[in-house]
Amino acid sequence: MVFKPFTHLARQSLGKTLTHGYAQSVVAATQSSYASTATPFGPFSTHAASKFNKHGSSQLHGTFQHASTQSGGASSSGQQGFALESSRGDGGLAAYYEAWQKQQRSNGSTKEWKQFQFPLRIGWKGPSTMPEGKGADKESSTQLRSNALLDRSSLERAYSTSAVDDIKQAEDVIAEAGSLAVVDEAIAKEISSFRVQSTHLPTVPAPEVSVTDTYPNSQQSLGVVGTFSSNPQQSSTPTGSSQHSLLIQEDTPLTPTSPTPTDIIIELRNAGYYEEIPAVFQAMLAKDIQPSMGAYNGLLAAAIAMPAAKHQVVSKALNIYTDAIRRHVVPDKAFYGTLLELLSRRAIEVYQTKNAMDIKRSQYCNLNPGSSFMLPSDESEYAILIADDALKHALSIFDAAISNPRVQVLPSEIYGLLITACALHGQNEDMIRLYTHLEEHQVVPVASMFPPIIDAYAQDGDLNSSVQCYEGYRNLAMQHDADGTSLIGRYDYSVYAALVKSFMRCNRSERGHRFIASIYSSLDSDVAEHRARLEVARDIIVADGLVQHQIDIRQFGEALDLVKTQRLTPSTRHKVLACVCSAAANSNDRATAVEAYKSIELSTEAMPSIASSMLAMELRFGKLDEASKYWSVLYESPNGGASLMEPAAIYTLALIKNGQVNEALIHARHAFARVRSSVNTGVARDQLKEKIDEVIELIGKHLALRENRISPQDTMTLLGAMTENKGPVSPVSEQLLAGLGPAEISILNWHDLVLVLNIEAAMISDGTFLHDIGHIARLEHLLNVVSQRGLTLDEMTLQLIERTLGQLENHRPGISARWRNARQTARQAPSATISHSSVPSMAVVASTPFADAYDPYAAKMDHNGSNIVLNILENGRAGRRSNLNQALAQFQTIHRLGRQTRYSVYAKLIETAATERRGDVMFDILRTARQSVPLLPQHPPVLAGWSSILDSMTGACLTVGNRAGASDFHQELLQLGTAPSANTYGLYITTLKEFTQTSDEANEALDIWNRAKQEGVEPTSFLYNALIGKLGKARRVDDCKYYFYEMQNRGIRPTSVTYGTMINGLTRVNDQYSAEMLFNEMESMPNYKPRAAPYNSMMQYFQGDNKKDSQKVLEYYSRMRSNRIEPTMHTYKLLIDTYAALEPIDMAAAEGVLDTIRASGQCPEAVHYASLIKAKGCQHRDLGGAWQTFKTAMANPEIQPHASLYQAMFESMVANCQVEAIDGLLRDMDMQGVRTTPYIANAVIRGWATADNIAKARDLYESMGKASREPSTYEEMTRAFLAVNDPNHAREVADEMFSRAYPAPVVAKLQKLLDSAGV
């Protein structure tokens, strides 16, 4: 027997468990009489979830109430049907039973109470005719209920914990109000169909709503909390309209051959028509039919399957259980199983959700003073979790079930869920008691409950019990290996991890490591299956045991060291790194978090969560620039979606605090749109909109604390965010409108003006500000401005204005007539019609020659000062940074004197700051521009100037790596009716590798090119160069030639950069003739500007494996020198390769290149030594000389350890068959902090493949991760598998490469290799 040494604890503590009145009542109700008239049956009326219901007592008939706007239709029209007695505050089953008890006390009668008592709550009167308008189908009724329960649009967005009760009351009021209409609809359908035979039910697979099997025979990689699914798998109700509303007919007597109500409920449940079950159940009660256990099982299944909040589902289920006990209906094993599964899963879910919310609170709580959470809705949800008592009720019901002679023992899965819930909540005595009962009744245990049990003992410091639990599991596992029936599932490795963590928690680390060593040694074998099991065991033990323990005790540095030193599979390594990074960031261990983040691939699925934690941490440290990097990663992540909500809020508030209000609100607006687009379902989308409104309220609160008012443009950005969501948010909208005086309104564009007019009119029209003088005066001014500008309004806006002015007639007599007269007498001028749209669009402004030339800021322009700033930036002799600082000082002097600089100065300063990677300066300059020369799009000079500023900001964001910011400014340009410049589109292309990590940059570049054409951008040489460069790297030479000649046909002269990119592309495909022809053409061009890159391309081409022509290499080097072009470091590397590797070999000349570099005033770099190492080791097979050069380079203080040095040494080792030394060099590389590049991996994989050590080659290949693999890596690994006659794995590697959309020439090379091997 398992747990022999400590099962006596359970027996000793039985008398201490659950002795409260509720549990006694439940147990008493399940004894020999199954009911006690002396004991009140209300054990679950105090369930925590019921605190949030309208009535305090248990209400079965309020459990399934549908929302409908026609709730009073039947009673008001004289029709008979169900009627809700809303005047009674206590209309539930408690009052019903209380009346029955009163009758018992008064006359001692023992008969059951009559149904005539039931109309005190719900009256049953059989309808004689079908009510009008009640023929809605099942789908509409289901949707009505779903909307009523889950749509919170009628409630306040922001609520405190003390208001939770009122919120739940409001939800139940909505549900009760719709009960009558839904039931009437179903009854009317039944009457119209006369009689429905149960044999006509459609055949629909029956959903499983009882206990489901959630214990797979697989191991979990991280954590034991997620062992049990928090939600049982349920089939949703069919959406089609049912033709069989199986309700009981008032005018149809039951016969022995007709289906009983219980049969009908069972058929409905099996068919999945859950929403019809409550109506059938209530009709059955109305006809004085005693419900059977089968009917209650169906009702419970409906409660679980029908959509509702989780805590409400639990409350409804408990009400059903209480009602069954009151009616003396004894629950069966299936009922107990379903109910206990629901309660146990809810308890587990509460534990998980509460932990997640604790993390969220630690991240964001400091942003909302006076509240423990950032958003009030989170605080309310947390209050519900704290008050949840599902586990307490589950234990009470379990005691009742095992005391029932008809039940006594429950399914294994129920024990597993209950024991896991007790272990997670720290109720060890109950956990022991439950396991003892399981053991005594010889119930087969569920394997997945053992890790939580072991962890629960470790939490109490009881290591002996943890070890005994492990030994019990081990005995069961060994017995299961023999008979196959002693365990449900296997969680061997998770049990090992839990025990290891117990050793560590109880300060027995030596025993823990000995235990780990014994596990590893038992699995260590050359058998492939054993190796695979060892990998899985190592992953789980390290992740869930060693690393998780270090995280639990907040030793994040040690956790990171474990990840680095332990041998984990790549996928597990990244998951564990993600956990360490997030945990360290949430605990403000910045050094560890940053180090862990650098090791995580950007393609990791957990990246949004990691970036959120890093963002919150950097903002807590006040490092806004660092935080912006993580915001960019988070915003660009395809897995972001709804998870952007809180990060967007804190990032916005940080920007506001830093004075960057405009950028903050733009980021917030785009993030809100991204959040909404991530969810398609109506209910979830509405809930997200509610949260967005809460964030907007929080933003408004922080804006109100600022000393300076926000600009009109920022006001319109925030108002636009509101209208795109759900509409104006009070009191933020009032606060924003209060800042719009006549001066601010005068600079609004037409779209913004109409938006403000709509908001102001709507606020006055709904009566909130009908008597507010400020709002009325603002509305009158807005109407005057609209009339003076001759703006054409759409019909919806005109109707709103007319309605609002009609309401104001009593306060402003004649205001409607003045509005109409003003519209009629307004000067006629070309105008633009503004329509209601969620996306702002700039109106087309009618212009005149005078308007085209007028710039309202021209009078204050300091042209001389602007020229000085530009000259400093372009012609300064000092370093670039000092040039920028000097220009900024001159710029600030001009503004302190009350003067303005030209728009081009703002653009140039932004561009220069981006080049220097000074993101704060970029946004400071933009903020100055918005304050000094606000955008007035009705004036073309201002519009043109701002187009250049925003274009510079778009390019600057691309330069500093903020692609999300670039997207924002790009969108702002489009709203102005303009687009980024061709050079900015060129930056989009040149930064592709950095941002998208795409495998086919050529297609991405063409997409960007096509977008530029669609937006009417005239291409420049820079844009052509960027496009041709990407196409050339993809070996798409025909496309390169096409755009090269198109460029010339457009009259754009190719530059030396254009020729360089074309030559580079041609040499990649071995087109020597075209490359030399273009090179000669380049040198003969009159506008030729000498550059080293084309010469390097030609030298590299003739040095390649296809040519190996040292004479040609040196010829192009001589032509470079004759054109007075200074060699680059790459040129010197090519010279070393030529002298050392091409005939005639001249090692003295190769080493002399290093002296040439020093003579030029520069220092040799690592790549130069790497060329010498490779030449000695690979070409001359001089491994000793290669080692000597490597050591010389590593000892040189001017040279940092570089991957090229290690790559050259690895290649030299492989060439000299010294593969055994690879491991030592890998360790040295790791100590030096040099990361493994794809090219190092290629050499090592090739070496291990030659030594027939395919396992090590595969480990290295997998450790790189998919995003880090190059085409050459795939080719090398494919060759390695083919070398050991493993074509299946070779095909897997090749298929992965083919799936990454590499260019066709790249793919063809690997395909040719496979074809030659017959794979």
Side-chain angles (χ1 to χ4, degrees), residues 469-489:
C469 179
Y470 161 73
E471 291 173 349
Y473 175 84
R474 182 189 61 191
N475 295 335
L476 285 171
M478 294 171 64
Q479 187 177 350
H480 181 78
D481 290 339
D483 57 28
T485 60
S486 299
L487 273 175
I488 296 179

Side-chain angles (χ1 to χ4, degrees), residues 1075-1131:
E1076 290 185 325
M1077 183 183 67
L1078 273 181
F1079 190 91
N1080 295 330
E1081 180 182 324
M1082 175 191 70
E1083 287 190 321
S1084 64
M1085 291 293 291
N1087 62 335
Y1088 171 62
K1089 181 179 180 180
R1091 291 179 66 253
Y1095 294 89
N1096 290 342
S1097 295
M1098 295 302 294
M1099 290 171 65
Q1100 188 166 351
Y1101 170 66
F1102 284 108
Q1103 188 189 88
D1105 293 337
N1106 293 329
K1107 296 298 179 182
K1108 293 187 177 181
D1109 189 341
S1110 61
Q1111 183 178 354
K1112 278 284 190 181
V1113 174
L1114 297 176
E1115 176 187 332
Y1116 278 99
Y1117 177 70
S1118 299
R1119 291 172 69 171
M1120 171 193 288
R1121 298 300 289 157
S1122 64
N1123 284 316
R1124 298 181 180 180
I1125 300 173
E1126 288 296 326
T1128 64
M1129 288 298 178
H1130 184 55
T1131 310

Side-chain angles (χ1 to χ4, degrees), residues 256-515:
T257 60
S258 63
T260 65
T262 298
D263 293 337
I264 296 173
I265 289 177
I266 292 174
E267 292 291 342
L268 287 171
R269 172 187 173 181
N270 292 340
Y273 289 89
Y274 294 111
E275 76 280 0
E276 294 189 8
I277 292 177
V280 176
F281 193 90
Q282 294 203 31
M284 179 168 59
L285 296 181
K287 292 182 69 68
D288 287 329
I289 300 173
Q290 174 75 355
S292 67
M293 197 63 243
Y296 276 108
N297 275 324
L299 192 62
L300 180 61
I304 296 173
M306 294 172 68
K310 296 296 176 55
H311 65 275
Q312 292 176 336
V313 172
V314 171
S315 181
K316 295 175 192 297
L318 292 176
N319 287 344
I320 294 170
Y321 172 72
T322 304
D323 188 76
I325 298 298
R326 284 174 176 170
R327 296 184 187 278
H328 306 171
V329 180
V330 182
D332 58 12
K333 183 179 290 189
F335 185 91
Y336 276 124
T338 303
L339 183 57
L340 286 172
E341 181 191 15
L342 172 68
L343 295 172
S344 302
R345 291 182 184 281
R346 172 61 181 171
I348 294 171
E349 180 191 30
V350 166
Y351 176 85
Q352 296 171 339
T353 308
K354 185 174 175 295
N355 285 346
M357 295 195 71
D358 284 335
I359 294 174
K360 183 186 291 188
R361 177 170 56 181
S362 67
Q363 287 179 331
Y364 310 124
C365 64
N366 60 338
L367 296 174
N368 193 6
S371 174
S372 58
F373 285 91
M374 182 173 66
L375 301 180
S377 60
D378 289 337
E379 191 163 0
S380 298
E381 182 180 354
Y382 195 76
I384 294 174
L385 296 175
I386 292 295
D388 191 276
D389 48 9
L391 181 57
K392 180 185 73 175
H393 291 309
L395 293 171
S396 300
I397 294 173
F398 174 82
D399 291 337
I402 62 176
S403 301
N404 188 335
R406 296 173 54 184
V407 181
Q408 291 188 344
V409 179
L410 292 163
S412 301
E413 291 80 1
I414 299 302
Y415 287 97
L417 286 166
L418 279 171
I419 290 173
T420 299
C422 290
L424 295 178
H425 286 271
Q427 297 182 209
N428 289 6
E429 288 190 5
D430 291 315
M431 176 185 73
I432 296 172
R433 179 170 63 88
L434 290 166
Y435 191 89
T436 302
H437 188 272
L438 171 147
E439 190 179 43
E440 289 174 349
H441 289 80
Q442 298 181 349
V443 179
V444 178
V446 177
S448 54
M449 70 183 181
F450 286 91
I453 295 174
I454 296 173
D455 194 57
Y457 284 124
Q459 295 281 354
D460 283 350
D462 189 354
L463 180 60
N464 289 334
S465 295
S466 293
V467 174
Q468 291 162 10
C469 179
Y470 161 73
E471 291 173 349
Y473 175 84
R474 182 189 61 191
N475 295 335
L476 285 171
M478 294 171 64
Q479 187 177 350
H480 181 78
D481 290 339
D483 57 28
T485 60
S486 299
L487 273 175
I488 296 179
R490 292 293 291 270
Y491 274 73
D492 296 1
Y493 307 140
S494 292
V495 170
Y496 298 155
L499 185 59
V500 168
K501 191 163 63 169
S502 299
F503 282 129
M504 301 300 171
R505 183 180 294 277
C506 298
N507 297 321
R508 296 293 186 272
S509 59
E510 292 183 2
R511 289 185 61 184
H513 287 296
R514 287 201 302 271
F515 176 72

Side-chain angles (χ1 to χ4, degrees), residues 849-862:
F850 175 76
D852 286 340
Y854 178 66
D855 184 347
Y857 307 120
K860 291 187 176 182
M861 288 288 183
D862 187 345

